[in-house]
mmCIF file of all heavy atoms in Angstrom:
data_model
loop_
_atom_site.group_PDB
_atom_site.id
_atom_site.type_symbol
_atom_site.label_atom_id
_atom_site.label_comp_id
_atom_site.label_asym_id
_atom_site.label_seq_id
_atom_site.Cartn_x
_atom_site.Cartn_y
_atom_site.Cartn_z
ATOM 1 N N HIS A 99 -4.693 9.018 -18.181
ATOM 2 C CA HIS A 99 -5.341 10.275 -17.773
ATOM 3 C C HIS A 99 -5.398 10.302 -16.246
ATOM 4 O O HIS A 99 -6.475 10.244 -15.639
ATOM 5 C CB HIS A 99 -6.739 10.366 -18.389
ATOM 6 C CG HIS A 99 -6.738 10.193 -19.873
ATOM 7 N ND1 HIS A 99 -6.234 11.138 -20.736
ATOM 8 C CD2 HIS A 99 -7.148 9.155 -20.642
ATOM 9 C CE1 HIS A 99 -6.356 10.707 -21.982
ATOM 10 N NE2 HIS A 99 -6.900 9.505 -21.952
ATOM 11 N N LEU A 100 -4.225 10.397 -15.638
ATOM 12 C CA LEU A 100 -4.091 10.198 -14.189
ATOM 13 C C LEU A 100 -4.888 11.215 -13.384
ATOM 14 O O LEU A 100 -5.535 10.863 -12.395
ATOM 15 C CB LEU A 100 -2.613 10.238 -13.799
ATOM 16 C CG LEU A 100 -2.290 9.933 -12.338
ATOM 17 C CD1 LEU A 100 -2.784 8.553 -11.951
ATOM 18 C CD2 LEU A 100 -0.779 10.044 -12.093
ATOM 19 N N HIS A 101 -4.858 12.460 -13.780
ATOM 20 C CA HIS A 101 -5.586 13.482 -13.024
ATOM 21 C C HIS A 101 -7.075 13.152 -12.971
ATOM 22 O O HIS A 101 -7.715 13.240 -11.914
ATOM 23 C CB HIS A 101 -5.361 14.865 -13.645
ATOM 24 C CG HIS A 101 -6.038 15.979 -12.900
ATOM 25 N ND1 HIS A 101 -7.331 16.378 -13.180
ATOM 26 C CD2 HIS A 101 -5.609 16.752 -11.866
ATOM 27 C CE1 HIS A 101 -7.663 17.362 -12.359
ATOM 28 N NE2 HIS A 101 -6.644 17.609 -11.552
ATOM 29 N N ARG A 102 -7.631 12.753 -14.100
ATOM 30 C CA ARG A 102 -9.050 12.392 -14.154
ATOM 31 C C ARG A 102 -9.346 11.200 -13.247
ATOM 32 O O ARG A 102 -10.380 11.168 -12.546
ATOM 33 C CB ARG A 102 -9.447 12.087 -15.595
ATOM 34 C CG ARG A 102 -10.947 11.814 -15.774
ATOM 35 C CD ARG A 102 -11.306 11.795 -17.247
ATOM 36 N NE ARG A 102 -10.686 10.682 -17.953
ATOM 37 C CZ ARG A 102 -10.619 10.584 -19.280
ATOM 38 N NH1 ARG A 102 -11.105 11.543 -20.045
ATOM 39 N NH2 ARG A 102 -10.053 9.526 -19.842
ATOM 40 N N THR A 103 -8.459 10.230 -13.237
ATOM 41 C CA THR A 103 -8.648 9.048 -12.395
ATOM 42 C C THR A 103 -8.632 9.416 -10.919
ATOM 43 O O THR A 103 -9.471 8.948 -10.140
ATOM 44 C CB THR A 103 -7.561 8.005 -12.696
ATOM 45 O OG1 THR A 103 -7.602 7.645 -14.081
ATOM 46 C CG2 THR A 103 -7.744 6.752 -11.850
ATOM 47 N N ILE A 104 -7.677 10.258 -10.529
ATOM 48 C CA ILE A 104 -7.574 10.685 -9.130
ATOM 49 C C ILE A 104 -8.832 11.437 -8.707
ATOM 50 O O ILE A 104 -9.372 11.220 -7.607
ATOM 51 C CB ILE A 104 -6.324 11.558 -8.927
ATOM 52 C CG1 ILE A 104 -5.052 10.721 -9.136
ATOM 53 C CG2 ILE A 104 -6.317 12.194 -7.540
ATOM 54 C CD1 ILE A 104 -4.937 9.512 -8.238
ATOM 55 N N GLN A 105 -9.323 12.311 -9.556
ATOM 56 C CA GLN A 105 -10.540 13.060 -9.226
ATOM 57 C C GLN A 105 -11.737 12.119 -9.099
ATOM 58 O O GLN A 105 -12.597 12.318 -8.234
ATOM 59 C CB GLN A 105 -10.795 14.138 -10.283
ATOM 60 C CG GLN A 105 -9.726 15.212 -10.347
ATOM 61 C CD GLN A 105 -9.410 15.827 -8.993
ATOM 62 O OE1 GLN A 105 -10.310 16.231 -8.266
ATOM 63 N NE2 GLN A 105 -8.127 15.894 -8.658
ATOM 64 N N ALA A 106 -11.799 11.102 -9.935
ATOM 65 C CA ALA A 106 -12.903 10.138 -9.871
ATOM 66 C C ALA A 106 -12.886 9.374 -8.547
ATOM 67 O O ALA A 106 -13.945 9.120 -7.955
ATOM 68 C CB ALA A 106 -12.823 9.168 -11.046
ATOM 69 N N ILE A 107 -11.694 9.021 -8.083
ATOM 70 C CA ILE A 107 -11.572 8.329 -6.795
ATOM 71 C C ILE A 107 -12.070 9.227 -5.666
ATOM 72 O O ILE A 107 -12.833 8.804 -4.791
ATOM 73 C CB ILE A 107 -10.109 7.905 -6.538
ATOM 74 C CG1 ILE A 107 -9.683 6.832 -7.548
ATOM 75 C CG2 ILE A 107 -9.933 7.395 -5.111
ATOM 76 C CD1 ILE A 107 -8.193 6.521 -7.520
ATOM 77 N N LYS A 108 -11.663 10.479 -5.697
ATOM 78 C CA LYS A 108 -12.071 11.410 -4.636
ATOM 79 C C LYS A 108 -13.574 11.674 -4.667
ATOM 80 O O LYS A 108 -14.212 11.827 -3.613
ATOM 81 C CB LYS A 108 -11.283 12.710 -4.768
ATOM 82 C CG LYS A 108 -9.803 12.556 -4.447
ATOM 83 C CD LYS A 108 -9.107 13.893 -4.352
ATOM 84 C CE LYS A 108 -7.696 13.723 -3.817
ATOM 85 N NZ LYS A 108 -7.053 15.018 -3.538
ATOM 86 N N GLU A 109 -14.140 11.719 -5.849
ATOM 87 C CA GLU A 109 -15.583 11.943 -5.961
ATOM 88 C C GLU A 109 -16.390 10.794 -5.361
ATOM 89 O O GLU A 109 -17.542 10.978 -4.953
ATOM 90 C CB GLU A 109 -15.959 12.155 -7.427
ATOM 91 C CG GLU A 109 -15.516 13.508 -7.976
ATOM 92 C CD GLU A 109 -15.685 13.630 -9.470
ATOM 93 O OE1 GLU A 109 -16.259 12.701 -10.090
ATOM 94 O OE2 GLU A 109 -15.248 14.648 -10.039
#
Side-chain angles (χ1 to χ4, degrees):
H99 306 289
L100 185 59
H101 182 271
R102 185 169 66 194
T103 302
I104 293 303
Q105 296 309 310
I107 293 170
K108 291 190 171 188
E109 287 171 6

